[in-house]
Amino acid sequence: MTATGRAGTRAPAGRAGRASVFERIAASAHRRRWRALALWAALLVGVQALAGAVGEDYRNDFSLPGTESQQAAELLERHGSARAGAEIRIVLHSAGGDGIRSAENEERVGAMLAEVSGLPHVTGVVSPYRDGSGGSMVSRDGTVAYAVVTLDERAENVPAEATERIVETANEAEGGGLRVELGGDAVRATEEGGGGAAEGAGLLGALVILVLLFGSPVAAALPVVTALFAVGGALGLIAAASHLAPVADFTPPVMMLVGLGVGIDYALLVFSRYRAELLRGADDEGATRTALDAAGRTVFFAGCTVIIALLGLVVLGLGSLRGVALAVALTVLVTMLASLTLLPALLGVFGGRIRRGVERRRDRRAAKGRTREEGAGWRRWARAVQRRPWAALLVSAAALGALAAPAADLRLGFADAGNGPESSTSRAAYDLLADGFGPGVNGPLVVVADGGGRPVEAAAGELRRTLAGTPGIAAVTPPVPAGDPTAATVVAFPESAPQDEETSELVASLRDGVLPPLEEETGARFLVGGPTAATEDFAATVQARMPLFAALVVGLSALLLTVVFRSLTIPLKAAVLNLLSIGASLGVVTLVFQHGLLGVEPGPVEAFIPVMVFAIVFGLSMDYEVFLLSRIHEEWRATGDPGLAVREGLAHTGRVITAAAAIMIVVFAAFVLSPDRMLQQFGLGLAVAIALDAVVIRCLIVPAVMQLLGRRAWWLPRPLRRVLPEAEVKAKEAAEAAAAVPPHR
């Protein structure tokens, strides 16, 4: 092939010089389009068939080796305690007559509990009428009571079918003024849904934006089809892999959340460059090769940055997060590969139709006299920012700082039944228990007494008396021996609700001030465990390891950008700006979910959210950073004028970045519609971060900072210049193209 004679048209690869690996991939996929499509279709069908054959085995691993709550759980398991398994509370309410103590209610409840005790996975049932502790499981006014059903596994390992059968059996006792509700982590797990209609709403919104952007349903469908192939393949692989390693049950919706956004985003970057090359006069294959050589490089390096950020979660040492991180990283990898191989094949199939649509739209615009140069509005915007760079920088930074300020008060934890919908049985049970026994009954502290091989009865008695006199504790149960006399448990009910800050302070006070002197006095060891204490341990672990995680992610990403752009200033700027957008997004999440802004039920932010948002947003922000700066870098190398390079870079990428960001925002924001509180926080955090990144950072701060830095933006010490490998994101013949097109000043 030879270069076309039109100004600004890039010569197709294959002439002088060796084609890049991205060009060779594009050429191979384009020429062997049907084979590539068949391979991707076979991969998707095969993976889904495998997943359907073996099924999925998603399970949560909330173990935290070394933490006190984990030690308490392991100790109970070793000593054969019934409390090692999960518990379900059957909450009973009756306001008429003798209330819950009426003979009719006692008969109904007794028959129901006898039936429940014989169900699978049930190891014991404690009735409120025979609890042996003076009626502590019946409220003072006699209207509320609860029975405790102990299971043989932790909540995350109990089959949903077993829990649903317990719920159905308990509900059969309702009638005659008796109301039955059930609570516990196992019950909540059966009520929680995934993304629901969120995925469909996000896809529909993305498709609408793409149609408006390209003016053609066929052109708009290609990025969506590419993303669906990638996400479908990744979901099948992870479903099959869940049999080999723990993968949390909330992983699939998170994969879809990230995969759809990233997949459409990557395909859009490539397709936009392809369309621009068609407008310049390139043929279908030449446009495909040029698009992959330029935008494909951006996709590759941006995808690598996302994967690095996600794999950084492994250093946190949290079992559940490892599986999620690996699954989402695999999703990003597959979407990246689909953008580099499947999309060129699709362009080969539909290239003629797309070309005709592009030409018709161009001709219609010309007939109407709408021949404005590409990116004229963005070029004017860049000039305006360059005239007052300090004002743009300071105002934008102040706004991001104000949004980030609430994150300083961030409290981590986990949503409980009190944050659930009022229509759910677990929320109803939570509210009934709080009304009848006080808020602390929903967050008991299980204090384990370990005699170290010696009988622990006397030490457990002292433990009960000490806890009963501790401020902040409303009630204490008698000691319950484990499977042998060397261990026992005492359950303490705080005066405050599980998510209250007072409860967190109580756990810390018991561990640091109340129990150590008692250990010296009795010679026993006391461990504060249970779900509430485990939540505190999880949050503390995340907070303690967050600095190491952030340093690892930022450091590796900065190193990658240093190699790509051969500059020390660019990576430093990118790291600071990404941290600003992440902080602002977490600040918004804190305002909405922790402080109850916009009518949301207030509560702590899910302990997973900060690290997951950090990893995903830091990686995704690099998409736009690399895409914008690579184009600025092209212009800089071609002209040597830093101001012109910024204007032309923004002019050629502003429209695409805005569209890509709008698509991601729509996909992520759609997950706010999910019934799951954690997915709502994910969706809001990611949508806000992308919006701020695309609008405030890319349109204001980056042009302002690049204008202030000037030539210093591309500074790299000579020793590093000699050592670093050549791996720049560049488009071939940029200088030739720039010389052929008069610069827009």
Side-chain angles (χ1 to χ4, degrees):
M1 293 183 185
T2 59
T4 69
R6 299 178 58 171
T9 302
R10 177 177 305 199
R15 60 186 189 94
R18 185 183 178 191
S20 72
V21 63
F22 296 97
E23 288 180 285
R24 295 198 298 272
I25 291 173
S28 177
H30 191 277
R31 293 169 184 168
R32 300 173 178 84
R33 63 200 69 159
W34 293 112
R35 184 180 302 176
L37 288 174
L39 286 175
W40 271 99
L43 173 65
L44 180 61
V45 172
V47 167
Q48 289 295 328
L50 174 64
V54 302
E56 47 84 12
D57 187 25
Y58 296 117
R59 57 194 185 280
N60 297 327
D61 177 15
F62 295 111
S63 61
L64 291 171
T67 60
E68 187 166 325
S69 59
Q70 182 67 23
Q71 293 175 15
E74 293 171 352
L75 181 65
L76 291 177
E77 288 180 359
R78 286 200 305 271
H79 288 276
S81 172
R83 286 196 174 273
E87 291 182 349
I88 291 177
R89 291 184 179 184
I90 302 178
V91 184
L92 313 162
H93 177 264
S94 180
D98 294 331
I100 207 70
R101 291 190 175 93
S102 71
E104 181 184 358
N105 284 335
E106 184 169 353
E107 182 179 354
R108 278 176 175 271
V109 173
M112 177 265 290
L113 294 180
E115 188 174 352
V116 168
S117 65
L119 294 178
H121 296 280
V122 175
T123 61
V125 176
V126 179
S127 167
Y129 304 108
R130 302 181 181 84
D131 64 324
S133 58
S136 63
M137 297 167 71
V138 179
S139 65
R140 291 183 179 180
D141 62 5
T143 61
V144 181
Y146 67 92
V148 178
V149 179
T150 306
L151 306 177
D152 60 357
E153 294 277 1
R154 296 182 181 178
E156 58 266 23
N157 297 326
V158 177
E161 296 79 10
T163 303
E164 290 168 356
R165 190 170 176 188
I166 294 173
V167 173
E168 292 170 0
T169 303
N171 285 333
E172 291 174 358
E174 282 194 330
L178 179 66
R179 176 185 174 191
V180 179
E181 305 288 354
L182 290 91
D185 290 339
V187 175
R188 284 187 64 218
T190 63
E191 294 179 315
E192 292 176 348
E199 298 93 335
L203 271 178
L204 180 60
L207 192 57
V208 169
I209 295 172
L210 288 169
V211 170
L212 293 176
L213 179 66
F214 296 124
S216 164
V218 174
L222 294 190
V224 175
V225 170
T226 304
L228 288 176
F229 264 82
V231 173
L235 283 172
L237 288 173
I238 293 301
S242 64
H243 292 273
L244 305 177
V247 179
D249 56 10
F250 57 83
T251 302
V254 173
M255 291 173 64
M256 295 189 71
L257 174 72
V258 177
L260 290 177
V262 171
I264 296 174
D265 199 48
Y266 287 174
L268 175 61
L269 297 183
V270 174
F271 184 80
S272 296
R273 189 60 182 254
Y274 168 81
R275 183 174 173 274
E277 294 301 320
L278 289 181
L279 287 172
R280 291 183 175 184
D283 61 20
D284 293 346
E285 183 177 340
T288 302
R289 296 177 69 166
T290 299
L292 264 292
D293 187 42
R297 292 172 184 263
T298 301
V299 167
F300 176 77
F301 285 108
C304 289
T305 306
V306 179
I307 293 171
I308 288 172
L310 287 165
L311 293 182
L313 290 172
V314 176
V315 306
L316 288 177
L318 305 177
S320 292
L321 280 185
R322 287 176 177 171
V324 177
L326 292 172
V328 179
L330 175 64
T331 304
V332 174
L333 175 62
V334 176
T335 58
M336 182 176 69
L337 294 176
S339 299
L340 299 178
T341 57
L342 174 61
L343 183 57
L346 291 172
L347 293 176
V349 174
F350 297 101
R353 184 178 300 180
I354 294 171
R355 170 187 287 279
R356 290 191 294 272
V358 168
E359 292 174 348
R360 281 197 303 268
R361 195 176 186 191
R362 180 195 61 196
D363 294 341
R364 284 198 301 267
R365 291 175 63 89
K368 295 178 181 179
R370 298 166 61 185
T371 57
R372 187 178 62 176
E373 61 185 353
E374 179 188 1
W378 290 103
R379 199 172 285 110
R380 287 196 300 271
W381 175 265
R383 281 199 188 94
V385 173
Q386 288 177 324
R387 282 196 296 268
R388 296 178 179 83
W390 280 111
L393 175 60
L394 294 178
V395 171
S396 301
L400 292 177
L403 287 176
D409 187 38
L410 182 67
R411 276 205 317 116
L412 300 182
F414 287 108
D416 58 21
N419 304 115
E422 295 183 359
S423 59
S424 65
T425 185
S426 57
R427 171 64 184 271
Y430 184 98
D431 292 340
L432 284 174
L433 287 172
D435 292 341
F437 300 92
V441 73
N442 287 301
L445 304 177
V446 180
V447 185
V448 181
D450 177 20
R454 299 186 301 274
V456 78
E457 182 179 359
E462 288 296 324
L463 172 64
R464 184 194 182 192
R465 286 188 286 274
T466 299
L467 293 176
T470 300
I473 293 181
V476 181
T477 66
V480 178
D484 61 65
T486 64
T489 59
V490 175
V491 179
F493 298 97
E495 295 177 348
S496 51
Q499 296 179 354
D500 289 349
E501 193 169 353
E502 292 83 358
T503 304
S504 302
E505 294 171 353
L506 176 61
V507 172
S509 174
L510 290 176
R511 289 173 170 174
D512 300 334
V514 175
L515 297 180
L518 188 62
E519 289 179 332
E520 295 182 4
E521 178 185 338
T522 61
R525 182 172 63 137
F526 302 110
L527 302 171
V528 182
T532 303
T535 297
E536 296 297 325
D537 288 339
F538 197 100
T541 301
V542 170
Q543 289 174 330
R545 299 179 186 178
M546 187 73 176
L548 173 61
F549 163 69
L552 179 66
V553 171
V554 173
L556 290 177
S557 300
L559 179 61
L560 181 62
L561 286 182
T562 301
V563 172
V564 170
F565 291 112
R566 304 186 68 77
S567 164
L568 287 182
T569 313
I570 294 295
L572 178 62
K573 173 191 67 66
V576 172
L577 296 183
N578 286 347
L579 291 175
L580 268 177
S581 66
I582 292 168
S585 70
L586 291 178
V588 173
V589 170
T590 303
L591 283 175
V592 173
F593 289 94
Q594 182 173 312
H595 297 295
L597 190 67
L598 304 178
V600 175
E601 185 77 32
V605 174
E606 299 288 319
F608 291 113
I609 295 299
V611 290
M612 289 296 294
V613 167
F614 187 101
I616 294 171
V617 169
F618 195 91
L620 294 183
S621 296
M622 288 299 179
D623 291 1
Y624 307 137
E625 182 79 14
V626 173
F627 189 62
L628 172 59
L629 289 177
S630 62
R631 193 59 188 245
I632 293 175
H633 197 213
E634 284 186 23
E635 301 293 339
W636 159 250
R637 288 170 61 91
T639 67
D641 185 338
L644 173 64
V646 172
R647 291 194 297 274
E648 292 304 305
L650 192 60
H652 286 90
T653 62
R655 183 168 178 261
V656 178
I657 288 178
T658 302
I663 289 170
M664 276 209 185
I665 291 167
V666 167
V667 172
F668 294 155
F671 277 75
V672 177
L673 304 175
S674 168
D676 186 274
R677 183 179 174 92
M678 183 175 64
L679 287 180
Q680 293 173 357
Q681 294 180 12
F682 266 129
L684 179 64
L686 294 177
V688 169
I690 296 301
L692 293 174
D693 191 82
V695 176
V696 179
I697 291 179
R698 303 298 155 222
C699 296
L700 287 169
I701 297 182
V702 169
V705 171
M706 295 295 288
Q707 176 68 18
L708 293 171
L709 289 175
R711 295 176 178 271
R712 293 186 297 274
W714 309 106
W715 174 74
L716 183 69
R718 186 164 299 176
L720 281 179
R721 193 176 295 276
R722 289 196 298 264
V723 173
L724 289 179
E726 290 279 352
E728 296 176 90
V729 176
K730 58 185 178 180
K732 295 174 66 176
E733 299 130 355
E736 178 183 324
V741 181
H744 305 286
R745 297 187 184 275

